[in-house]
Amino acid sequence: SEDGYEMHFATNHLGHFLLTHLLLDKLKASAPSRIVNVAAHGHFYAKIDFDDLHGRKVYRSFNAYIQSKLANVLFTYELAKRLEGTGVTVNSLHPGAVDTDIPRHLTARKNIILRTLLAPFVWLLLKTSEQGAQTSIYCAVEPSLENVTGQYFADCRQKDCAKHGCDEGVAKKLWEISEEMTGITNSSNH
């Protein structure tokens, strides 16, 4: 990123962290309100590498992506604790494998032959954008979730996140590092 941070981490985590922080007073004032963070199932296979958070020693795009999605889950977990009693809930979710234009730069997407060969599998295995949005919508408006916070969802159902997705020590350390990287101070009282 322009600030020298790994792009997945900057976009998927730090951007959400900063935007959420900037909106917290409004969210509290309009409680009950909800924060919904889109994570991914890939967080099960990730770890937060505090020694190489931005992949400067070893960089693998997929590892950077799933690390950013684990950061979403950890952020949700920590934020839910910090918002207890405010009327603001926060949950994370996996939208499913969705056929979007996000991987448009991958070789398979650029190659017409590969794209043609893969088309039936994409159609069979991936959700449409509308289908992929359902769990986000569910978490945002489902009446029965009004007081549910700090949870992880997939296919419009509450699921267990990875054990390391609710590690208090890692979540707190990530929060503190995220504060430093975004220039946020005194957010512990939020």
Side-chain angles (χ1 to χ4, degrees):
S1 73
E2 192 175 296
D3 297 314
Y5 303 138
E6 193 283 321
M7 191 61 79
H8 293 289
F9 190 78
T11 303
N12 294 337
H13 171 62
L14 293 176
H16 293 62
F17 183 88
L18 179 58
L19 179 62
T20 301
H21 177 77
L22 294 173
L23 294 173
L24 274 180
D25 290 336
K26 293 274 187 206
L27 289 164
K28 289 176 185 177
S30 58
S33 54
R34 301 180 191 191
I35 300 167
V36 178
N37 291 317
V38 179
H41 183 77
H43 86 276
F44 278 89
Y45 311 104
K47 72 179 193 102
I48 302 293
D49 186 352
F50 289 111
D51 294 327
D52 192 22
L53 200 54
H54 302 291
R56 292 187 179 109
K57 296 176 188 169
V58 176
Y59 184 76
R60 291 184 181 89
S61 181
F62 182 72
N63 289 352
Y65 171 75
I66 62 174
Q67 176 180 255
S68 74
K69 292 305 178 175
L70 174 57
N72 293 145
V73 174
L74 288 161
F75 170 53
T76 298
Y77 179 76
E78 181 68 18
L79 183 60
K81 288 186 343 183
R82 292 170 183 252
L83 291 176
E84 279 182 23
T86 65
V88 180
T89 62
V90 56
N91 292 296
S92 64
L93 64 96
H94 169 56
V98 183
D99 183 22
T100 67
D101 203 29
I102 291 173
R104 67 189 169 278
H105 301 294
L106 296 178
T107 303
R109 286 287 182 115
K110 291 179 183 179
N111 183 311
I112 188 72
I113 295 169
L114 279 176
R115 206 168 58 229
T116 303
L117 290 171
L118 293 174
F121 298 102
V122 168
W123 184 79
L124 283 172
L125 301 175
L126 300 183
K127 292 180 178 183
T128 65
S129 295
E130 184 177 333
Q131 292 167 329
Q134 294 310 300
T135 303
S136 295
I137 295 166
Y138 175 79
C139 288
V141 301
E142 170 57 39
S144 67
L145 299 182
E146 185 175 345
N147 296 310
V148 175
T149 192
Q151 300 302 310
Y152 177 75
F153 290 81
D155 295 320
C156 297
R157 288 189 294 276
Q158 189 173 327
K159 305 274 185 165
D160 290 332
C161 70
K163 282 190 177 189
H164 55 277
C166 53
D167 181 307
E168 289 186 30
V170 174
K172 188 173 189 307
K173 184 173 181 177
L174 178 64
W175 184 280
E176 291 166 356
I177 288 171
S178 301
E179 283 180 323
E180 287 177 31
M181 290 179 177
T182 57
I184 293 172
T185 56
N186 299 322
S187 69
S188 59
N189 62 354
H190 279 267

